[in-house]
Amino acid sequence: MSITTEKALATAVDVGGAAQRTDPALAAPRRTLPTPVRRTGRVLLAVFTRTVAIGLLLAVWETAPRLALVDRTFLPPFSEVAVAWWRLLLDGQLAEHTQASLGRSLAGFGLAVALAVPLGLLIGWYRPLADLLGPLLEVFRNTAALALLPVFVLLLGIGETSKISIVLYACTWPILLNTISAVRSVDPTLLRLARSMDLPAPRIFQKVILPASVPTVFTGIRLAGAVAILVLVAAEMVGAKAGLGYLVNASQFNFAIPDMYAGIITISAIGVGFNQLLVALERRFTSWRTPTGN
């Protein structure tokens, strides 16, 4: 065998050995966790990430009064508030007040959605209507709802009508303004493309304007959902006989501080739950969108 042939064989052996060492198929298999285990780990991590801040807040709330960092007369430990909340739940008071507040807020919120979304679409689509109503909208949207609460009480009384009306008024503006902005901010390229296809104006409105406006409209609806709860609580502190706002106000006057905080926690929980419901509806109606993040 010649020297050249021996060198070629040696080179081939070295190359083959290197290929065996670097070939992923021939390498030692990695140990990977099963798919259900990885999914469970991700779920647990997500739950921990979303709840750790709330847990720290509750821990501080529980320990600060017990360590005399704050006066427990005015800020009792969270455990005492939880006991008061459970007592109110068992004797039916919490359910009664929650039902009253939800009925008023949902009625005003639903009327605001039914009124503001079509009006916002019309104002955003028809420029002459926007020019006509623009100054009036600027006046009312800059007038705080709570500033008009005495006016609503004087005109409509202290019954259910005034409370539903103040919620309707407060919820209308976030929905209306976001709907107008949604229509006006539609991509002009989509409009030019639709017009180049000789589509009539109603068809353009149905196929282009409405789908493109849904995300921004839902942003206004979510803002209105938070406003509905906040404004109603303030309205129920004036001349109401039931409702979470009445519960908080009456507990303060009677110096039942744990009951007061129990009502506040219930209001916060309702607000969070209502927002999550609106987020789920938004995802349902905007499922056609392409995700932009992880």
Side-chain angles (χ1 to χ4, degrees):
M1 185 181 294
S2 63
I3 298 176
T4 304
T5 304
E6 292 178 356
K7 289 182 178 180
L9 289 174
T11 303
V13 171
D14 291 339
V15 171
Q20 289 181 356
R21 290 192 299 268
T22 58
D23 189 358
L26 299 176
R30 298 178 183 177
R31 291 184 177 180
T32 58
L33 294 175
T35 301
V37 175
R38 292 201 302 270
R39 290 178 179 174
T40 303
R42 286 197 296 266
V43 170
L44 292 177
L45 180 60
V47 172
F48 175 78
T49 303
R50 293 175 181 271
T51 58
V52 62
I54 299 296
L56 290 175
L57 174 63
L58 296 180
V60 172
W61 187 353
E62 179 69 24
T63 57
R66 296 186 182 279
L67 297 177
L69 298 178
V70 294
D71 191 346
R72 65 184 300 162
T73 303
F74 303 107
L75 183 64
F78 175 73
S79 58
E80 296 182 8
V81 176
V83 170
W85 186 91
W86 185 252
R87 175 177 49 79
L88 290 173
L89 179 64
L90 291 180
D91 62 17
Q93 293 187 53
L94 191 63
E96 176 187 356
H97 294 304
T98 301
Q99 182 179 358
S101 293
L102 283 179
R104 296 162 181 159
S105 60
L106 291 178
F109 175 79
L111 290 173
V113 172
L115 174 66
V117 171
L119 183 59
L121 292 174
L122 289 175
I123 293 175
W125 181 246
Y126 295 105
R127 193 70 186 184
L129 186 60
D131 296 335
L132 176 64
L133 299 180
L136 187 64
L137 296 180
E138 286 295 323
V139 171
F140 280 105
R141 81 181 186 94
N142 288 292
T143 304
L146 294 180
L148 295 177
L149 179 58
V151 178
F152 280 90
V153 172
L154 289 174
L155 295 178
L156 302 175
I158 61 175
E160 299 298 310
T161 305
S162 62
K163 295 174 178 57
I164 295 175
S165 299
I166 194 68
V167 173
L168 167 63
Y169 176 86
C171 292
T172 295
W173 305 112
I175 302 174
L176 180 64
L177 297 176
N178 276 272
T179 304
I180 295 173
S181 176
V183 175
R184 292 179 177 176
S185 61
V186 174
D187 190 353
T189 304
L190 297 177
L191 295 176
R192 288 195 296 268
L193 180 61
R195 293 191 178 102
S196 68
M197 299 172 65
D198 295 329
L199 292 178
R203 196 68 172 171
I204 294 176
F205 187 81
Q206 177 187 2
K207 293 297 184 180
V208 179
I209 299 298
L210 284 179
S213 302
V214 168
T216 307
V217 171
F218 262 98
T219 299
I221 292 176
R222 288 175 59 188
L223 292 174
V227 170
I229 302 296
L230 297 177
V231 172
L232 178 65
V233 169
E236 287 178 340
M237 293 181 177
V238 180
K241 298 297 182 182
L244 293 173
Y246 168 79
L247 173 63
V248 172
N249 199 38
S251 300
Q252 177 195 9
F253 279 117
N254 296 327
F255 212 73
I257 303 301
D259 293 358
M260 182 188 74
Y261 283 107
I264 294 173
I265 290 176
T266 305
I267 294 170
S268 300
I270 290 174
V272 172
F274 194 33
N275 181 71
Q276 292 301 313
L277 175 61
L278 293 177
V279 169
L281 289 175
E282 180 181 1
R283 290 175 179 171
R284 171 65 179 83
F285 285 102
T286 60
S287 59
W288 50 267
R289 299 178 66 192
T290 302
T292 57
N294 294 330

Coordinates of all heavy atoms in Angstrom, one line a residue, residues 113 115-127 129-130 175-184 186 205 209-214 217:
V113 N -73.9 50.8 26.2 CA -73.3 50.1 25.1 C -74.3 50.1 23.9 O -73.9 50.4 22.8 CB -73.0 48.6 25.4 CG1 -72.6 47.8 24.2 CG2 -71.9 48.5 26.5
L115 N -76.5 52.4 23.2 CA -76.6 53.7 22.7 C -75.3 54.2 22.1 O -75.3 54.8 21.0 CB -77.0 54.6 23.9 CG -77.1 56.1 23.5 CD1 -78.2 56.4 22.5 CD2 -77.4 56.9 24.8
A116 N -74.2 54.0 22.8 CA -72.9 54.7 22.4 C -72.3 54.0 21.2 O -71.7 54.7 20.4 CB -72.0 54.7 23.6
V117 N -72.3 52.7 21.1 CA -71.7 52.1 19.9 C -72.3 52.5 18.6 O -71.5 52.9 17.7 CB -71.7 50.5 20.1 CG1 -71.1 49.8 18.9 CG2 -70.8 50.2 21.3
P118 N -73.6 52.4 18.4 CA -74.1 52.8 17.1 C -73.9 54.3 16.9 O -73.6 54.7 15.7 CB -75.6 52.5 17.2 CG -75.7 51.4 18.3 CD -74.6 51.8 19.2
L119 N -74.1 55.1 17.9 CA -73.9 56.6 17.7 C -72.4 56.9 17.4 O -72.1 57.7 16.5 CB -74.3 57.3 19.0 CG -74.2 58.8 19.0 CD1 -75.1 59.4 17.9 CD2 -74.6 59.4 20.3
G120 N -71.5 56.2 18.0 CA -70.1 56.4 17.7 C -69.7 56.0 16.3 O -68.9 56.7 15.6
L121 N -70.3 54.9 15.8 CA -70.1 54.5 14.5 C -70.6 55.5 13.5 O -69.9 55.8 12.5 CB -70.7 53.1 14.2 CG -70.1 51.9 15.0 CD1 -71.0 50.7 14.8 CD2 -68.7 51.7 14.5
L122 N -71.8 56.0 13.7 CA -72.3 57.0 12.8 C -71.5 58.3 12.8 O -71.2 58.9 11.8 CB -73.8 57.3 13.2 CG -74.8 56.2 13.0 CD1 -76.2 56.6 13.5 CD2 -74.9 55.9 11.5
I123 N -71.1 58.8 14.0 CA -70.4 60.0 14.1 C -69.0 59.9 13.4 O -68.5 60.8 12.8 CB -70.2 60.5 15.6 CG1 -71.6 60.9 16.1 CG2 -69.2 61.6 15.7 CD1 -71.5 61.2 17.6
G124 N -68.4 58.7 13.7 CA -67.1 58.5 13.0 C -67.1 58.3 11.5 O -66.2 58.6 10.8
W125 N -68.3 57.8 11.0 CA -68.4 57.5 9.6 C -68.8 58.7 8.8 O -68.4 59.0 7.7 CB -69.3 56.3 9.4 CG -69.5 55.9 8.0 CD1 -70.6 56.0 7.3 CD2 -68.5 55.3 7.1 NE1 -70.5 55.5 6.0 CE2 -69.2 55.0 5.9 CE3 -67.2 55.0 7.2 CZ2 -68.5 54.5 4.8 CZ3 -66.5 54.4 6.2 CH2 -67.2 54.2 5.0
Y126 N -69.8 59.5 9.4 CA -70.4 60.6 8.7 C -69.8 61.9 9.2 O -70.1 62.3 10.4 CB -71.9 60.7 8.8 CG -72.5 59.5 8.1 CD1 -73.1 58.4 8.8 CD2 -72.6 59.4 6.7 CE1 -73.7 57.3 8.2 CE2 -73.2 58.3 6.1 CZ -73.7 57.3 6.8 OH -74.3 56.2 6.2
R127 N -68.9 62.6 8.4 CA -68.3 63.8 8.9 C -69.2 64.9 9.2 O -69.0 65.6 10.2 CB -67.3 64.2 7.8 CG -66.3 65.3 8.3 CD -65.3 64.6 9.3 NE -64.5 65.6 9.9 CZ -63.5 65.4 10.8 NH1 -63.2 64.1 11.1 NH2 -62.7 66.3 11.3
L129 N -72.2 64.8 10.5 CA -72.7 64.6 11.9 C -71.7 64.8 13.0 O -72.0 65.4 14.0 CB -73.2 63.1 11.9 CG -74.0 62.7 13.2 CD1 -75.2 63.6 13.4 CD2 -74.3 61.2 13.2
A130 N -70.4 64.5 12.7 CA -69.4 64.8 13.7 C -69.2 66.3 13.9 O -69.0 66.8 15.0 CB -68.1 64.1 13.2
I175 N -67.1 54.7 25.8 CA -67.5 53.9 24.7 C -67.6 54.7 23.4 O -67.1 54.4 22.3 CB -68.8 53.1 25.0 CG1 -68.7 52.2 26.2 CG2 -69.2 52.3 23.8 CD1 -70.0 51.6 26.7
L176 N -68.3 55.8 23.6 CA -68.5 56.7 22.4 C -67.3 57.2 21.8 O -67.0 57.2 20.6 CB -69.5 57.9 22.8 CG -69.8 58.9 21.7 CD1 -70.6 58.2 20.7 CD2 -70.6 60.0 22.3
L177 N -66.4 57.8 22.6 CA -65.1 58.4 22.1 C -64.2 57.3 21.5 O -63.6 57.6 20.5 CB -64.4 59.1 23.3 CG -65.2 60.3 23.8 CD1 -64.5 60.9 25.0 CD2 -65.5 61.3 22.8
N178 N -64.1 56.1 22.1 CA -63.3 55.1 21.6 C -63.9 54.6 20.3 O -63.1 54.2 19.3 CB -63.1 53.9 22.6 CG -62.0 54.2 23.6 OD1 -60.8 53.9 23.3 ND2 -62.4 54.8 24.7
T179 N -65.2 54.5 20.2 CA -65.8 54.1 18.9 C -65.5 55.0 17.8 O -65.2 54.7 16.6 CB -67.3 53.9 19.1 OG1 -67.5 52.9 20.2 CG2 -67.9 53.3 17.8
I180 N -65.7 56.3 18.1 CA -65.4 57.4 17.1 C -63.9 57.3 16.6 O -63.6 57.3 15.4 CB -65.7 58.8 17.6 CG1 -67.2 58.9 17.9 CG2 -65.2 59.8 16.6 CD1 -67.6 60.2 18.6
S181 N -63.0 57.1 17.6 CA -61.6 57.0 17.3 C -61.3 55.7 16.5 O -60.5 55.8 15.5 CB -60.8 57.0 18.5 OG -59.4 56.8 18.3
A182 N -62.0 54.7 16.8 CA -61.8 53.4 16.0 C -62.2 53.5 14.6 O -61.4 53.1 13.7 CB -62.6 52.3 16.7
V183 N -63.3 54.2 14.3 CA -63.7 54.4 12.9 C -62.8 55.3 12.1 O -62.4 55.0 11.0 CB -65.1 54.9 12.8 CG1 -65.6 55.2 11.4 CG2 -66.1 53.9 13.5
R184 N -62.3 56.3 12.8 CA -61.5 57.3 12.1 C -60.0 56.8 11.9 O -59.3 57.3 11.1 CB -61.4 58.6 12.9 CG -62.8 59.4 12.8 CD -62.7 60.6 13.6 NE -64.0 61.4 13.5 CZ -64.2 62.5 14.2 NH1 -63.3 63.0 15.0 NH2 -65.4 63.1 14.1
V186 N -59.1 53.7 11.0 CA -59.0 52.5 10.1 C -58.0 52.8 9.1 O -57.8 53.9 8.6 CB -60.4 52.2 9.5 CG1 -60.3 51.1 8.5 CG2 -61.4 51.9 10.5
F205 N -68.6 49.7 4.9 CA -68.8 49.8 6.4 C -68.9 48.5 7.0 O -68.3 48.3 8.1 CB -70.1 50.6 6.6 CG -70.3 51.0 8.0 CD1 -69.7 52.1 8.6 CD2 -71.2 50.3 8.8 CE1 -69.9 52.5 9.9 CE2 -71.4 50.6 10.1 CZ -70.7 51.7 10.7
I209 N -64.9 48.6 8.0 CA -64.9 49.5 9.1 C -65.3 48.8 10.4 O -64.6 48.9 11.4 CB -66.0 50.7 8.9 CG1 -65.6 51.5 7.7 CG2 -66.1 51.5 10.2 CD1 -64.3 52.2 7.8
L210 N -66.3 48.0 10.4 CA -66.7 47.2 11.6 C -65.7 46.3 12.1 O -65.3 46.3 13.3 CB -68.0 46.5 11.3 CG -69.3 47.4 11.3 CD1 -70.5 46.5 11.0 CD2 -69.5 48.1 12.6
P211 N -65.1 45.4 11.3 CA -64.1 44.5 11.8 C -62.8 45.2 12.3 O -62.3 44.8 13.4 CB -63.7 43.6 10.6 CG -64.9 43.7 9.7 CD -65.4 45.0 9.9
A212 N -62.4 46.3 11.6 CA -61.2 47.0 12.1 C -61.4 47.8 13.3 O -60.5 48.1 14.1 CB -60.7 47.9 11.0
S213 N -62.7 48.1 13.6 CA -63.0 48.9 14.8 C -63.2 48.1 16.1 O -63.2 48.7 17.2 CB -64.3 49.8 14.5 OG -64.1 50.6 13.4
V214 N -63.4 46.9 16.0 CA -63.8 46.0 17.1 C -62.8 46.2 18.3 O -63.2 46.4 19.4 CB -64.0 44.6 16.7 CG1 -64.1 43.7 18.0 CG2 -65.3 44.5 15.9
V217 N -63.1 49.5 20.0 CA -64.4 49.7 20.7 C -64.4 48.9 22.0 O -65.0 49.4 23.0 CB -65.5 49.1 19.7 CG1 -66.9 49.0 20.4 CG2 -65.6 50.1 18.5

